[in-house]
Amino acid sequence: MRPKKSLGQNFLMHAQIAERIVDVAGVGTSDTVLEVGPGTGKLTRALLQKVGKVIAIETDAELIPQLHETFSEEIATGKLTVVHGDIRTLNTADLPTNYHVVANIPYYITGEIIRLFLSAPHK
């Protein structure tokens, strides 16, 4: 799968980078993480090794079947939920009261995403 420039995609290619992102995020086994744009799942895999639950929101419909196949076991056990949707239209009231956002997001929507979470009922 090639990144779609129209969606600002830039897939992580190295597991070590994903692991460093997770380490810097400071998340642990009791945490729920909202991952914005899991793409091909490099960061998702690193998160699943460290946290209790991951909710991954992906806007690219072509990536959803691949994520379901790659992470079928984690989805079956409830450790991972894959949501097909645009983070910018997410109803933040539906988020758990305590969550962390960890993501490799497109730069052109970074400000919009930060504003979304700063104005969410559960920040």
Side-chain angles (χ1 to χ4, degrees):
M1 176 82 39
R2 297 183 73 118
K4 293 178 182 164
K5 297 301 175 191
S6 64
L7 295 176
Q9 291 175 332
N10 186 10
F11 299 143
L12 289 175
M13 302 304 293
H14 302 286
Q16 299 89 340
I17 300 297
E19 291 165 8
R20 285 177 47 199
I21 292 170
V22 173
D23 287 341
V24 169
V27 291
T29 57
S30 63
D31 292 320
T32 296
V33 170
L34 179 66
E35 181 186 8
V36 179
T40 59
K42 287 277 191 226
L43 183 55
T44 309
R45 183 159 314 284
L47 285 166
L48 288 167
Q49 293 173 1
K50 296 272 184 164
V51 304
K53 180 167 178 64
V54 176
I55 303 166
I57 301 178
E58 177 57 61
T59 192
D60 188 344
E62 291 180 20
L63 292 173
I64 298 296
Q66 178 184 344
L67 290 167
H68 278 273
E69 182 179 325
T70 301
F71 298 106
S72 61
E73 184 177 317
E74 292 85 352
I75 292 169
T77 63
K79 187 162 176 132
L80 173 65
T81 301
V82 176
V83 177
H84 178 220
D86 187 329
I87 191 64
R88 297 171 294 178
T89 61
L90 176 74
N91 183 356
T92 56
D94 293 338
L95 292 172
T97 57
N98 190 15
Y99 66 93
H100 299 266
V101 178
V102 180
N104 175 34
I105 56 177
Y107 294 116
Y108 77 97
I109 63 170
T110 301
E112 192 173 352
I113 290 172
I114 291 170
R115 281 189 298 279
L116 171 75
F117 290 108
L118 288 176
S119 65
H122 310 292
K123 295 173 182 44

